[in-house]
Amino acid sequence: MEVFAHVKYVRMSPRKVKLVCDMIRGKDVKTAAAYLNATNKAACEPMRKLLKSAVANAENNNGLNADNLYISTCVANPGPTLKRGRIASRRGFVRILKRTTHISIGVSEKA
């Protein structure tokens, strides 16, 4: 049984979050938590909180054992983009895209 946790509208580019998703996908929960603590990337903080939430969902809502869990799915999808801008040279206008991300983590029990 797969148990999910989601976070939406994280103010970070999906491209940066996907690097961390690829790093922890398929790992068991303890190893993934160790990777997230040791890695120096900004995306690790929301991913660490989300992993903790997914494990808590699995334990409390479904009665699964936390020692047997592994990360079965980890997805970072683009959310809405905030469009901002600033004045450039010769009175031009340069658009600045502030991207957001929706992150989902699914944990399952080892067979």
Side-chain angles (χ1 to χ4, degrees):
M1 169 176 258
E2 194 168 17
V3 181
F4 286 96
H6 309 282
V7 65
K8 296 175 111 181
Y9 307 109
V10 176
R11 268 289 296 120
M12 196 172 299
S13 172
R15 186 175 178 179
K16 295 176 183 178
V17 179
K18 284 180 185 178
L19 292 171
V20 179
C21 280
D22 294 340
M23 182 178 66
I24 65 170
R25 189 179 298 118
K27 306 275 191 289
D28 62 298
V29 171
K30 288 184 179 179
T31 306
Y35 277 27
L36 291 175
N37 285 329
T39 305
N40 188 21
K41 290 219 172 270
C44 288
E45 183 181 348
M47 294 288 281
R48 190 179 315 119
K49 289 181 181 180
L50 191 61
L51 178 61
K52 193 174 178 181
S53 174
V55 171
N57 288 344
E59 286 180 323
N60 295 324
N61 300 344
N62 297 75
L64 300 177
N65 187 5
D67 296 330
N68 297 333
L69 294 177
Y70 75 100
I71 300 174
S72 55
T73 58
C74 185
V75 182
N77 293 322
T81 302
L82 305 172
K83 291 162 178 86
R84 303 290 184 262
R86 67 178 186 87
I87 304 300
S89 64
R90 294 183 4 214
R91 296 184 185 161
F93 185 78
V94 177
R95 177 163 277 184
I96 297 171
L97 301 176
K98 296 183 178 273
R99 302 186 188 277
T100 61
T101 307
H102 301 322
I103 310 170
S104 297
I105 289 182
V107 294
S108 296
E109 228 172 8
K110 294 178 188 171

